[in-house]
Amino acid sequence: QVQLVESGGGLVQAGGSLRLSCAASTSIFSINVMDWYRQAPGKQRELVARITSGGMTKYADSVKGRFTISRDNAKNTWYLQMNSLKPEDTAVYYCYAGATFDDYWGQGTQVTVSS
């Protein structure tokens, strides 16, 4: 069983930056995909960014050029660097880990961007 703990959310003004972290309770070497999702009030949860075990990355069109996903295998942690934040980025952000036979979710961290 893998436990995921997010941190780094908060309140920021438009144009500002935040870095989210997702710390896994075990080695992430067995995890195939490490994602960040977000869910705004009244909206469906959406994939924001993905990094695979091979290092490939994928981003939602709405965040391309502003957000960067990365990982640190030694720390069993992956990150979401969010720059040039916009009010529409306001949501609860969740990290997700997809392993071969299981998947895991973090508890979510609130990101609020004020205009």
Side-chain angles (χ1 to χ4, degrees):
Q1 190 78 7
V2 178
Q3 307 217 339
L4 306 179
V5 178
E6 298 116 336
S7 60
L11 173 64
V12 65
Q13 288 189 329
S17 298
L18 285 173
R19 188 175 82 154
L20 305 183
S21 299
C22 181
S25 60
T26 187
S27 170
I28 62 174
F29 281 107
S30 63
I31 297 174
N32 300 318
V33 292
M34 291 154 274
D35 296 344
W36 286 97
Y37 284 78
R38 67 185 180 188
Q39 187 166 20
K43 295 189 176 181
Q44 288 189 329
R45 192 172 295 190
E46 64 172 348
L47 177 65
V48 175
R50 167 172 292 169
I51 186 165
T52 70
S53 57
M56 294 181 65
T57 59
K58 174 183 177 180
Y59 297 92
D61 288 343
S62 59
V63 306
K64 281 180 182 176
R66 299 188 298 123
F67 291 10
T68 303
I69 190 170
S70 62
R71 69 171 193 243
D72 185 334
N73 291 343
K75 296 182 178 179
N76 299 327
T77 300
W78 59 102
Y79 305 95
L80 186 67
Q81 178 67 44
M82 305 185 294
N83 298 330
S84 302
L85 282 160
K86 304 175 181 180
E88 51 263 45
D89 294 318
T90 295
V92 178
Y93 284 70
Y94 299 89
C95 62
Y96 166 89
T100 303
F101 299 110
D102 287 294
D103 51 25
Y104 308 94
W105 290 91
Q107 81 285 356
T109 186
Q110 177 70 46
V111 171
T112 303
V113 184
S114 63
S115 56

